[in-house]
């Protein structure tokens, strides 16, 4: 039976052919290329000598460990530091050696009364910092001198009405808002701190109108404790221009955190007044004096257009604006005899061109009426 089943149909039965039954494994391979005849008359098929394929074992992949990169003679720094920052800082110190910037003469360290009691002196430092926001040092110093002549103590400011306090600090920036902040802060200091200011950053930032920059500067100037870097618009601008921030920061608070990550702590107290005076004299907000700066070869922002924002139409920096000088109208300016500000008739001070301020008011133009004609 097996003999008949395994024999091909075209092969005749012969007695001399000893045909053994094929295993069942090769039944499906009959007629395929795996069997070949050795000659034309040979009827015995033999399989190829190649062994059948065996199923592959699963490949176990080993996890590669972390590759440690070694540098030839160089040690990778633990923390990021800007390149050439020490050399740039030395150049800034050299350019600020005269110490004749407005911050050196009329800053918060020069405004308070040195002969006053300690709590009064610390309070005057805080007041000068609150008034200095968005205000030039010259204006802040003049306002604080008027407050000192009036009596710049916690009890006296609490008892001063808003109209009088507004006339004393005018024309500092946002003077109406600062009047409210001064009154609210003085009331809190009178009730909770016995006329003194808090000795922690957390306590200072709780006061109305006091931000992180003012708090760190107050801790340094009033309490002689370095708690952080006081970053204002000058420090924020110059740090980004010099490349002292790993990535461009968007506000002074981000700049403060970026500087404190790599700048040595013993430089935190010096860096504020150093960069503020440098920004007032050389690294100006608009059109910085890069040609006279000692860092012009290492500063990545040297000789670049500033500011980044496009000036509005009609502004002095706009190329399409008229060549008219713009002045800020203040009491007594241009001989107009403007009255001092008051809360009842307080109007915001606007910048107007010199030609507009001196020219008479324009009368409304009358429209000519066309005469109606009727045909007969």
């Amino acid at each position: 039976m097996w003999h008949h089943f395994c024999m091909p149909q075209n092969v005749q039965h012969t007695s001399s052919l000893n045909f053994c039954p094929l295993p069942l494994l090769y039944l499906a391979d009959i007629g395929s290329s795996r069997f070949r005849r050795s000659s034309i008359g040979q009827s015995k098929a033999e399989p190829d000598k190649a062994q059948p394929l065996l199923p592959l074992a699963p490949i176990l992949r080993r996890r590669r460990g972390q590759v440690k990169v070694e540098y030839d003679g160089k040690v990778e720094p633990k923390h990021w530091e800007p390149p050439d920052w020490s050399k740039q800082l030395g150049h800034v110190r050299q350019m600020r050696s005269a110490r004749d910037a407005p911050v050196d003469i009329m800053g918060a360290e020069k405004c308070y009364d040195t002969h006053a009691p300690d709590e009064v002196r610390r309070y005057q430092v805080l007041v000068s910092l609150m008034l200095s926001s968005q205000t030039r040092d010259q204006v802040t110093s003049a306002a604080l001198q008027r407050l000192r002549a009036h009596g710049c103590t916690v009890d006296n400011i609490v008892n001063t009405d808003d109209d009088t306090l507004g006339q004393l600090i005018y024309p500092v920036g946002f003077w109406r808002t600062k009047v409210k902040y001064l009154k609210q802060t003085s009331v809190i200091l009178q009730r909770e701190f016995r006329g003194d200011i808090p000795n922690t950053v957390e306590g200072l930032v709780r006061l109305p109108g006091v931000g992180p920059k003012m708090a760190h500067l107050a801790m340094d100037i009033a309490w002689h404790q370095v708690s952080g870097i006081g970053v204002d618009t000058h420090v924020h601008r110059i740090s980004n221009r010099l490349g002292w921030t790993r990535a461009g920061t968007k506000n002074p608070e981000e700049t403060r955190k970026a500087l404190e990550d790599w700048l040595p702590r013993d430089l935190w107290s010096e860096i504020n007044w150093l960069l503020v005076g440098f920004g007032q004299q050389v690294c100006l907000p608009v059109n910085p004096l890069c040609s006279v700066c000692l860092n012009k070869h290492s500063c990545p922002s040297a000789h670049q257009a500033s500011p980044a924002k496009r000036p509005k139409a009609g502004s002095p920096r706009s190329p399409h604006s008229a060549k008219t000088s713009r002045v800020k109208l203040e009491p007594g300016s241009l001989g107009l005899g403007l009255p001092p500000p008051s809360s009842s008739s307080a109007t915001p001070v606007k910048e107007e061109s010199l030609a507009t301020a001196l020219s008479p008011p324009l009368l409304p133009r009358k429209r000519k009426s066309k005469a109606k004609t009727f045909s007969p």
Side-chain angles (χ1 to χ4, degrees):
M1 180 178 179
W2 282 101
H3 178 73
H4 177 74
F5 182 80
C6 296
M7 281 294 293
Q9 298 179 1
N10 58 351
V11 179
Q12 299 179 357
H13 294 270
T14 56
S15 59
S16 62
L17 180 61
N18 296 326
F19 193 88
C20 61
L22 297 176
L24 294 177
L25 180 63
Y26 296 105
L27 291 178
D29 296 332
I30 297 176
S32 62
S33 61
R34 297 185 61 183
F35 286 82
R36 54 191 175 89
R37 298 180 184 273
S38 60
S39 62
I40 299 177
Q42 185 177 2
S43 61
K44 185 177 180 180
E46 59 180 3
D48 293 338
K49 295 182 179 180
Q51 297 179 358
L53 297 176
L54 298 177
L56 297 177
I59 301 176
L60 300 178
R61 296 182 179 179
R62 297 180 179 179
R63 294 184 178 179
R64 299 180 61 183
Q66 296 181 356
V67 180
K68 185 177 180 181
V69 180
E70 297 182 357
Y71 300 89
D72 296 335
K74 296 181 181 179
V75 180
E76 188 178 4
K78 297 181 180 180
H79 301 285
W80 176 86
E81 292 182 357
D84 299 331
W85 71 268
S86 180
K87 183 178 180 180
Q88 293 173 347
L89 182 62
H91 288 163
V92 174
R93 286 173 176 169
Q94 184 177 352
M95 290 181 285
R96 291 276 288 115
S97 58
R99 295 193 178 186
D100 53 355
V103 69
D104 302 320
I105 303 173
M106 294 169 285
E109 296 179 342
K110 306 294 182 180
C111 292
Y112 61 86
D113 186 7
T114 56
H115 301 287
D118 293 340
E119 61 273 7
V120 176
R121 176 180 56 83
R122 288 189 287 263
Y123 173 71
Q124 293 180 1
V125 170
L126 182 62
V127 171
S128 64
L129 291 173
M130 295 176 65
L131 297 179
S132 64
S133 176
Q134 302 294 326
T135 308
R136 295 179 300 172
D137 290 334
Q138 297 88 335
V139 179
T140 303
S141 178
L144 196 62
Q145 294 300 325
R146 293 190 294 269
L147 285 176
R148 287 176 53 184
H150 174 74
C152 189
T153 60
V154 173
D155 297 335
N156 199 9
I157 296 299
V158 170
N159 298 327
T160 304
D161 58 285
D162 293 351
D163 294 341
T164 303
L165 189 59
Q167 294 179 0
L168 290 173
I169 69 173
Y170 179 84
V172 299
F174 305 99
W175 59 273
R176 296 184 186 86
T177 305
K178 292 178 181 179
V179 167
K180 299 178 182 179
Y181 287 160
L182 283 176
K183 294 295 291 292
Q184 295 173 2
T185 297
S186 301
V187 170
I188 294 176
L189 297 180
Q190 186 183 51
R191 294 177 179 178
E192 300 182 10
F193 298 94
R194 298 180 181 179
D196 206 343
I197 67 174
N199 58 354
T200 60
V201 176
E202 293 77 12
L204 288 170
V205 295
R206 288 179 54 250
L207 301 175
V210 179
K213 179 204 75 171
M214 303 178 191
H216 291 300
L217 291 178
M219 290 295 298
D220 187 12
I221 301 174
W223 293 104
H224 305 288
Q225 298 179 11
V226 179
S227 59
I229 301 176
V231 178
D232 62 349
T233 56
H234 294 286
V235 181
H236 170 65
R237 179 183 69 255
I238 297 173
S239 298
N240 282 274
R241 284 181 177 178
L242 290 175
W244 285 6
T245 56
R246 194 167 190 174
T249 54
K250 299 179 180 180
N251 52 65
E253 184 62 17
E254 292 183 2
T255 304
R256 180 187 67 82
K257 296 178 181 179
L259 291 177
E260 291 178 357
D261 286 340
W262 64 268
L263 190 66
R265 193 178 181 88
D266 56 348
L267 300 177
W268 288 8
S269 177
E270 177 189 12
I271 201 66
N272 177 266
W273 69 267
L274 196 64
L275 294 185
V276 168
F278 180 62
Q280 292 175 343
Q281 293 180 321
V282 180
C283 197
L284 306 176
V286 182
N287 299 326
L289 306 179
C290 298
S291 58
V292 299
C293 181
L294 300 179
N295 291 323
K296 59 184 176 181
H297 299 295
S298 60
C299 178
S301 304
H303 302 288
Q304 292 185 2
S306 180
K309 293 183 179 181
R310 186 176 182 181
K312 297 181 179 180
S315 63
R317 301 190 304 271
S318 178
H320 302 288
S321 62
K323 295 182 179 179
T324 56
S325 60
R326 300 174 70 87
V327 296
K328 191 172 184 180
L329 300 181
E330 297 181 359
S333 63
L334 302 178
L336 300 179
L338 298 178
S342 60
S343 60
S344 59
S345 61
T347 56
V349 178
K350 298 182 178 179
E351 293 184 357
E352 298 181 358
S353 61
L354 183 61
T356 306
L358 297 179
S359 61
L362 298 177
L363 298 178
R365 182 180 298 177
K366 296 182 179 180
R367 299 179 60 183
K368 295 182 181 181
S369 59
K370 297 182 179 179
K372 297 182 179 180
T373 57
F374 299 93
S375 59

